[in-house]
Amino acid sequence: MGKSTKIYLFICWANMQRSPTAEEVARGLSKANNTRIKTKSAGLSSLSEQPVNKTLANEADLIFVMEEYMKTFIIKLYGIEAGRIIN
């Protein structure tokens, strides 16, 4: 994957509905518009299908969160700059 490929990470609480749905929608839009975007999703809960971790957070060019508190959580826990997080 070249440097021109962007990675978008979608985060919700349990990674069961909202973030996987957003991931699939973004993947479809990327394909339809012929853009180079890789999509991933994760959850804040340790019981998530894919719990968010430092590696996922750091490799993402943009992180999309479903709730404001999730942005604060990601900034504090992983030191991600606020400008890379969209809510």
Side-chain angles (χ1 to χ4, degrees):
M1 197 165 321
K3 290 189 180 217
S4 62
T5 299
K6 300 291 185 191
I7 299 174
Y8 289 177
L9 175 62
F10 297 88
I11 296 175
C12 68
W13 179 249
N15 190 228
M16 293 176 64
Q17 295 178 353
R18 295 182 294 173
S19 58
T21 299
E23 176 187 11
E24 288 300 317
V25 169
R27 183 178 296 132
L29 289 170
S30 174
K31 187 175 181 181
N33 291 296
N34 199 29
T35 56
R36 298 185 73 169
I37 297 171
K38 181 174 181 175
T39 60
K40 297 181 177 189
S41 66
L44 293 181
S45 169
S46 61
L47 300 175
S48 298
E49 293 284 323
Q50 169 60 63
V52 67
N53 58 50
K54 187 173 182 122
T55 300
L56 284 172
N58 284 330
E59 74 181 6
D61 294 292
L62 286 176
I63 300 172
F64 297 85
V65 296
M66 304 299 162
E67 309 286 340
E68 180 66 30
Y69 78 89
M70 295 175 180
K71 180 176 183 174
T72 303
F73 183 87
I74 297 297
I75 291 168
K76 287 183 180 179
L77 191 61
Y78 301 118
I80 302 298
E81 56 274 8
R84 286 181 40 212
I85 305 172
I86 311 294
N87 66 315

